[in-house]
Amino acid sequence: QSALTQPASVSGSPGQSITISCTGANSDFGAYNYVSWYQQHPGEAPKLIIYEVSNRPSGVPDRFSGSKSGNTASLTISGLQAEDEADYYCSSYITSAVFGGGTKLTVL
Amino acid sequence: EVQLVESGGGLVQPGGSLRLSCAASGFTFRNYYMNWVRQAPGKGLEWVANIKQDGSEKSFVDSVKGRFTISRDNAKNSLYLQMSSLRAEDTAVYYCARDRWELRATHYYYCGMDVWGQGTTVTVSS
């Protein structure tokens, strides 16, 4: 599978909303809805926060939302909180998983 | 409690071998596809390998094909990664992670890697 491209960093102030994009290099990404997002705090294991483009696992706040248009998926975090500061990875799955390069979110 | 615990990491010389283990508890291990995912120091996540529930199907990222093997022992609720011909670029934290698939009507749908271990560190250096 081809790579997924994410911005290296994004930032926002508490209470604001931010969006992280994830662009797939070929049409496979656009054709399938197996896009997941993971949150990783320093020194910790990744945590699944979005699956199938826009579904949240139990326990994930509804401030986290996902969407996809064509070859680009997006993760939006609304009402930013200090604890949202972390690295975020998108992932797609066809016969195996591939991850984006990750985006560092800084809460100013 | 659903849990994955990795072990077996350490310092190994280039060209050497290492076997990682992942002990699962709190869920029916034999029902799940399992993965190894790694993260080099200061870098992003990289999927390494996965294995079907019964071990009959395995996939690897190109960079480890022919050097790494993945296996599982469902009787012991354990996942393994045998690594050989190790290179400096294999230095990373290695995580095991569970795939979640959901049955809806007559089809299964992929729902991400929903359980992760804490990771074990592999350092390849002379």
Side-chain angles (χ1 to χ4, degrees), chain A residues 1-16:
Chain A
Q1 296 183 66
S2 54
L4 304 177
T5 300
Q6 300 180 230
S9 63
V10 298
S11 63
S13 299
Q16 288 186 332

Side-chain angles (χ1 to χ4, degrees), chain B:
Chain B
E1 179 190 4
V2 174
Q3 197 171 12
L4 297 170
V5 178
E6 301 93 337
S7 61
L11 174 64
V12 60
Q13 291 188 338
S17 299
L18 209 57
R19 188 199 197 202
L20 307 184
S21 300
C22 171
S25 60
F27 65 98
T28 307
F29 178 73
R30 65 178 179 271
N31 289 349
Y32 290 86
Y33 257 93
M34 296 296 298
N35 300 271
W36 286 100
V37 176
R38 67 185 179 183
Q39 187 169 33
K43 302 297 184 182
L45 302 174
E46 179 183 38
W47 172 81
V48 174
N50 68 5
I51 185 169
K52 194 177 179 180
Q53 292 90 328
D54 62 2
S56 62
E57 295 179 14
K58 307 170 186 181
S59 296
F60 300 89
V61 69
D62 286 348
S63 60
V64 309
K65 284 179 181 176
R67 301 188 300 121
F68 290 12
T69 58
I70 187 172
S71 61
R72 63 192 296 163
D73 185 336
N74 287 341
K76 295 183 177 180
N77 293 327
S78 292
L79 175 71
Y80 305 101
L81 186 68
Q82 179 68 48
M83 305 183 294
S84 60
S85 302
L86 282 162
R87 306 166 181 167
E89 53 264 37
D90 296 318
T91 294
V93 175
Y94 285 74
Y95 297 99
C96 62
R98 183 181 85 171
D99 268 348
R100 180 171 159 245
W101 289 82
E102 198 170 276
L103 179 61
R104 300 170 199 154
T106 60
H107 294 282
Y108 279 94
Y109 293 84
Y110 181 71
C111 298
M113 298 181 196
D114 67 335
V115 180
W116 295 67
Q118 85 289 349
T120 188
T121 300
V122 173
T123 303
V124 183
S125 175
S126 55

